[in-house]
Amino acid sequence: MERFPGRIWVVSHKTVAVAAGLGVMGLHRNVIHPRFGSFVLLATVLVDAPVSAYGRPLDYNPCVDCKLCVAACPVGAIGKDGAFDPLACTTHNYREFMSGFTDWAQTVADSEDAADFRDRVTDPENASMWQSLAFKPSYKSGYCLAVCPAGEDVLGPYLDDRKQYLDTVLRPLREKTETLYVLPGSAAQRYAERRFPHKPAKEVSGGWRPPGRHRQDPGPA
């Protein structure tokens, strides 16, 4: 955490929300609210004052165990057995956040000239990164949230006609042609190439700097 400016991720909203009884952590590692399902935005307020009562975790799990988040994830970050690959998720889904931007900036620096850079980065990728810098970063694959039917207010269509739900919600995401960002030789790369051959898998560094690769300050000449 100390490596990053602004000390991001100091508070985990999801963990706080679960402890407060707002929901339960789902298989997709997002909080599932009993009424609104995965369609919630979380924020945390820290106070240095006594409180009269504390929330308690829910005593039941609103997850319906449909495994649609497993089927929707294009990089195999979510396992049927409950396993989760955070690096696979971060590398692809958070491509336009700090780690992906760092990787994009490294590509700019490593390119010999403009033609070399354009060979490495497509126009749509540049446009997407530019938009994220001009407005705000967007998630590449919030599919686990999009397909999740859990929650009283959103469960109906799934229970009424599961085939229709799969055809209209899940299938378009699986059939979509899009670039998947993966670490070289990773399980995510193998999964993407096997399950989604129509989605180009692009090897990236993820923006993470390996230990011991910090360039030393040469000091004054």
Side-chain angles (χ1 to χ4, degrees):
M1 193 182 303
E2 303 295 339
R3 295 170 52 197
F4 301 108
R7 291 182 59 81
I8 60 176
W9 305 326
V10 175
V11 175
S12 173
H13 302 313
K14 297 178 183 180
T15 304
V16 172
V18 171
L22 296 180
V24 173
M25 199 77 74
L27 190 67
H28 50 20
R29 299 312 191 272
N30 294 291
V31 175
I32 300 178
H33 187 277
R35 177 179 176 185
F36 305 113
S38 297
F39 302 95
V40 294
L41 292 177
L42 303 174
T44 303
V45 178
L46 302 178
V47 296
D48 184 17
V51 294
S52 58
Y54 290 90
R56 296 182 178 179
L58 292 181
D59 58 2
Y60 71 98
N61 191 348
C63 175
V64 296
D65 198 32
C66 63
K67 301 293 194 304
L68 292 183
C69 57
V70 178
C73 182
V75 291
I78 310 169
K80 293 181 180 180
D81 59 355
F84 185 70
D85 185 346
L87 196 54
C89 177
T90 302
T91 301
H92 176 65
N93 194 33
Y94 291 78
R95 174 65 182 169
E96 292 171 358
F97 286 71
M98 187 164 62
S99 62
F101 168 76
T102 302
D103 186 68
W104 178 83
Q106 289 172 350
T107 303
V108 175
D110 289 341
S111 299
E112 295 181 0
D113 51 30
D116 182 33
F117 174 74
R118 288 187 175 277
D119 284 340
R120 299 187 186 198
V121 184
T122 65
D123 287 344
E125 287 179 300
N126 278 320
S128 185
M129 184 61 71
W130 169 81
Q131 187 174 26
S132 75
L133 296 173
F135 178 52
K136 63 179 181 179
S138 60
Y139 299 98
K140 284 293 183 184
S141 177
Y143 299 168
C144 52
L145 296 177
V147 301
C148 181
E152 295 177 3
D153 282 6
V154 293
L155 185 59
Y158 175 72
L159 295 180
D160 291 342
D161 192 336
R162 298 190 183 189
K163 184 180 184 305
Q164 177 68 14
Y165 190 91
L166 296 180
D167 288 342
T168 59
V169 179
L170 177 63
R171 188 185 302 277
L173 299 178
R174 290 176 59 86
E175 295 180 348
K176 178 182 178 182
T177 300
E178 60 186 327
T179 300
L180 305 180
Y181 298 96
V182 296
L183 298 178
S186 64
Q189 182 179 36
R190 294 188 295 271
Y191 180 91
E193 292 174 347
R194 183 178 73 254
R195 296 295 297 273
F196 300 102
H198 60 289
K199 297 177 185 281
K202 183 173 184 177
E203 295 183 353
V204 297
S205 73
W208 306 112
R209 180 164 25 188
R213 290 290 299 278
H214 299 266
R215 179 170 296 178
Q216 298 296 321
D217 184 356

